Amino acid sequence: MEIQQLTENAISLLKRLIETQSFSSEEDKTALLIENWFTNHNIPFTRKKNNVWATNKYFDESKPTMLLNSHHDTVKPNSAYTNDPFEAFVEDGKLFGLGSNDAGGCLVSLMATFTHFYQQKDLKYNLVIVASAEEESSGPNGLNSMLSIIPHIDVAIVGEPTLMNLAVAEKGLVVFDAVVEGTPSHAAHPNNNNSIYNSIEVLQWFKDFKFEKSSKALGDVKMTVTQIKAGSQHNVVPAHVDLVVDVRVNDAYSNQEIADILQEKSPCTKITPRSLKLNSSAISVEHDLVKAGIAMGRETYGSPTLSDQACLTCQSLKLGPGDSTRSHSANEFIYVAEIEEGIEIYVELLNRVIV
């Protein structure tokens, strides 16, 4: 189909996606809309739970395979919304609505791009597209559940808002539960081992600690204490203080290495990772996708935010229309022109690499 018609169809689909609630694990109705797209464009597809996927018509197992992926689940609306988050409307060139920027604009742009290439013969890469669920919650039934079902992937483009610049690396995430212990007592009695006072030194340690290895693309590991919980009533010194520590991991460390370092060096009584699965990711700047993007005038950078790249083991590029700073914000929007440009850039990029 002509790019202009595909673009109009994609914007129309995005409006319907916005107006259909699709919180993580509740994406069944948006999955139906995505199914309808493939049906209307005569593309066979498969659905597993709320993930919908398809391959190009002339899929050839002897060729490498490129994944095109973005998600159709959303977070719940920010409490500061003044618009109806489920009303899709355009004002001053902005398409408003929950999930418009993160990541509906990316998803429909990749679906349009896949549809454009679907019937082309003799591509250098096979194409697999997955419109995935549960990205926002890092749930068990998202892209991670599809990797044993879809064909083997050699490289991926993950659609997240990057202003169509090339996120050649992405930080991983490890969340830790930590405990600072002390001696429980009545508040009226002396106590030189107050767990809350003990936490002052521990918090200062987390604030000051620096991981040695930095990354050219992603900079330093960023560690932040984000939650503190202690005490039950005014006259009782608690036995322990519970901390939650958020660690954004660069590509110089594995998640296991971060856990080993903190368990060895932190002054906490106990510090335990919730999961080690959300790894950092990257793609070589020498990969054809990156070189083609640079030749097109797109900038490269390292992304501090997490995406479904974290569950991929192949090289992957994060690239999509929209601006990450708008994600999860009140009155979320994406410019219509960003979607139009996004589809044009995706198509040109793939023309340079797979045609």
Side-chain angles (χ1 to χ4, degrees):
M1 294 181 67
E2 293 292 335
I3 297 297
Q4 181 178 351
Q5 185 61 58
L6 279 171
T7 301
E8 291 175 4
N9 293 353
I11 293 169
S12 177
L13 173 60
L14 178 54
K15 291 176 180 177
R16 294 196 296 276
L17 291 171
I18 289 167
E19 293 176 345
T20 306
Q21 182 177 303
S22 58
F23 303 146
S24 290
S25 305
E26 302 174 15
E27 312 95 342
D28 52 307
K29 292 182 175 63
T30 47
L32 286 173
L33 293 174
I34 293 162
E35 288 185 15
N36 290 340
W37 169 282
F38 290 124
T39 299
N40 293 339
H41 292 90
N42 298 311
I43 297 174
F45 64 88
T46 304
R47 176 172 170 175
K48 183 177 185 292
K49 293 189 182 293
N50 293 327
N51 303 282
V52 184
W53 66 281
T55 63
N56 60 303
K57 185 173 183 177
Y58 297 101
F59 189 96
D60 181 345
E61 291 184 357
S62 69
K63 296 179 180 180
T65 298
M66 181 182 297
L67 171 67
L68 307 180
N69 164 251
S70 192
H71 63 95
H72 58 105
D73 64 315
T74 72
V75 295
K76 293 186 177 179
N78 187 304
S79 61
Y81 259 90
T82 57
N83 301 331
D84 178 351
F86 301 107
E87 180 187 1
F89 67 95
V90 178
E91 185 176 286
D92 298 328
K94 302 173 183 177
L95 173 53
F96 286 89
L98 181 66
S100 55
N101 182 79
D102 182 18
C106 301
L107 175 62
V108 300
S109 297
L110 282 172
M111 290 173 66
T113 302
F114 174 84
T115 303
H116 172 73
F117 287 101
Y118 170 72
Q119 296 199 57
Q120 292 194 31
K121 297 182 178 179
D122 301 320
L123 297 176
K124 296 176 183 176
Y125 280 80
N126 299 309
L127 292 178
V128 175
I129 187 165
V130 179
S132 54
E134 296 191 6
E135 189 273 348
E136 296 290 3
S137 62
S138 300
N141 297 311
L143 179 63
N144 50 352
S145 71
M146 301 300 297
L147 299 178
S148 62
I149 295 170
I150 63 176
H152 171 78
I153 302 301
D154 297 281
V155 68
I157 297 176
V158 176
E160 291 283 342
T162 70
L163 293 170
M164 291 308 292
N165 287 315
L166 312 169
V168 295
E170 173 187 279
K171 282 188 173 179
L173 169 65
V174 187
V175 178
F176 291 88
D177 292 300
V179 178
V180 182
E181 291 188 342
T183 302
S185 69
H186 193 295
H189 298 155
N191 185 343
N192 293 324
N193 191 31
N194 183 314
S195 61
I196 293 178
Y197 293 160
N198 292 347
S199 70
I200 296 172
E201 181 179 342
V202 173
L203 292 171
Q204 191 66 48
W205 185 90
F206 279 111
K207 182 179 179 182
D208 294 340
F209 185 80
K210 301 294 183 186
F211 292 89
E212 293 180 0
K213 293 187 284 187
S214 190
S215 159
K216 182 177 180 181
L218 294 171
D220 296 334
V221 174
K222 186 176 188 300
M223 181 164 63
T224 310
V225 177
T226 56
Q227 291 177 261
I228 301 176
K229 182 180 180 181
S232 58
Q233 58 192 65
H234 76 89
N235 58 354
V236 177
V237 176
H240 56 86
V241 175
D242 296 321
L243 307 177
V244 176
V245 185
D246 178 296
V247 184
R248 304 290 166 150
V249 184
N250 65 22
D251 54 350
Y253 293 92
S254 69
N255 288 354
Q256 183 63 61
E257 287 174 318
I258 294 293
D260 291 343
I261 289 168
L262 291 183
Q263 288 173 340
E264 176 187 352
K265 296 186 176 182
S266 84
C268 297
T269 309
K270 182 168 63 174
I271 183 164
T272 307
R274 294 181 181 177
S275 170
L276 298 175
K277 294 180 179 179
L278 302 175
N279 295 290
S280 61
S281 55
I283 187 170
S284 169
V285 294
E286 296 302 316
H287 195 282
D288 287 346
L289 275 174
V290 179
K291 291 197 292 186
I294 292 171
M296 291 165 57
R298 313 318 297 178
E299 297 180 359
T300 63
Y301 74 104
S303 172
T305 57
L306 198 69
S307 75
D308 269 337
Q309 281 183 286
C311 67
L312 298 173
T313 56
C314 64
Q315 293 194 80
S316 56
L317 174 68
K318 188 193 296 187
L319 174 68
D323 186 338
S324 179
T325 61
R326 299 183 210 133
S327 299
H328 305 181
S329 64
N331 300 336
E332 181 182 349
F333 71 88
I334 188 169
Y335 286 98
V336 172
E338 289 177 325
I339 299 170
E340 295 168 344
E341 179 193 48
I343 293 171
E344 290 176 0
I345 291 173
Y346 278 143
V347 169
E348 182 180 350
L349 181 69
L350 293 192
N351 271 328
R352 292 174 179 234
V353 175
I354 72 173
V355 174

